[in-house]
Amino acid sequence: MRLIDNLRNRSDRGRPATTGHDRPASLPLRWADLSVDTCADHPTMLADIAARRFDGITVSGVYSAEECDHAIATMAQHTDEMTPATFGPMLGTPLAELGRNPDATDRSSYYDQADRARARQIEAFGFDPFERVAAALQPMAGELTVTTPTEDGRRYQSGNVRWMEPGRGGLKAHVGNEFALQGDWTTAHLREVTQIRDHYSWFVVLQPPEEGGALSVFDLLYESHRPADPTWGATGRNDADFDDLPARKVAPEAGTLVCFGGGWRWHRVDKIEGSRPRVTFGGFAGPSTDGTTINAWF
Ligand SMILES: O=C(O)CCC(=O)C(=O)O
């Protein structure tokens, strides 16, 4: 698999202010484009996003292009271990999948697969890729420590790798609170230790697509917007009603971290075009209930 050329300047900065529908193509959401060297200038950023005072950030330089290239080439050798999703395969199985397994009686199978996925990630990158994410977020976390929670010594999956293939529709419009607030036994321990309402969504782009595939962040909040199709099925949902809504388009180059209020702000991954999958490493995070850490999980 070939990593693509530098896609610098593909974020919405500099894009035309209107679409063919005479609607704004980008919104003045409260968003900052940072680099790993400038994160320390924003020590309250994660608290501000959690409190809905700020919408999101990009942080460039979390991985190098060579690290992304190497990781993708290595992980591509393990397609047999990947979990199918509507958009393509994933290396690492979401906690939410546990509830769909009628044989599961506890979370041990989730922790087992989290261990396997982490080992594959470390093998592919040559280091634990979440450690770099945590190091980038840490200066913006105030007194809190960015980490991954454990249950009886078993570690949650910090994030998974998503191959979003062209022609499969991207990831339909959603908002994290739709799912996070359902609260069955699969998330019972997570909810004890982590505030999952209004969680952060984060991902690092490992390979941008050729065309499309931007993260669209809409000027719509969880409480104040009902989608035309309220259900989420095996293929996601029909989100055509979002097509002409103004959105901030976030489409950074490989190695850039995106962290935003995905729990409370409607968003989607636009349809992916061209011949190359969009590949990201990502997950969710939220402040711990004891007020000491920011916990990442997937
Ligand atoms: O991986 C992505 O780009 C999508 C992230 C997302 O939609 C989410 O975390 O809710």
Side-chain angles (χ1 to χ4, degrees), residues 4 7 10 15 166-167 208-214 251 270-278:
I4 54 168
L7 289 188
R10 287 205 58 193
R15 286 193 180 189
E210 280 168 348
E211 292 296 331
D270 292 345
K271 290 179 183 130
I272 292 150
E273 318 282 355
S275 59
R276 180 175 54 223
R278 172 191 193 268

Side-chain angles (χ1 to χ4, degrees), residues 172-174 178-179 182 226-239 266:
K172 304 293 186 185
H174 63 283
E178 287 185 277
F179 312 107
Q182 284 174 7
R226 291 283 291 165
D229 179 358
T231 56
W232 186 271
T235 56
R237 60 162 51 101
N238 179 347
D239 68 354
W266 282 88

Side-chain angles (χ1 to χ4, degrees), residues 162 164 171 174 201 203 267 269 278 280 284:
R162 308 159 194 161
M164 295 195 181
L171 182 56
H174 63 283
S201 288
F203 62 89
H267 59 281
V269 178
R278 172 191 193 268
T280 56
F284 309 116

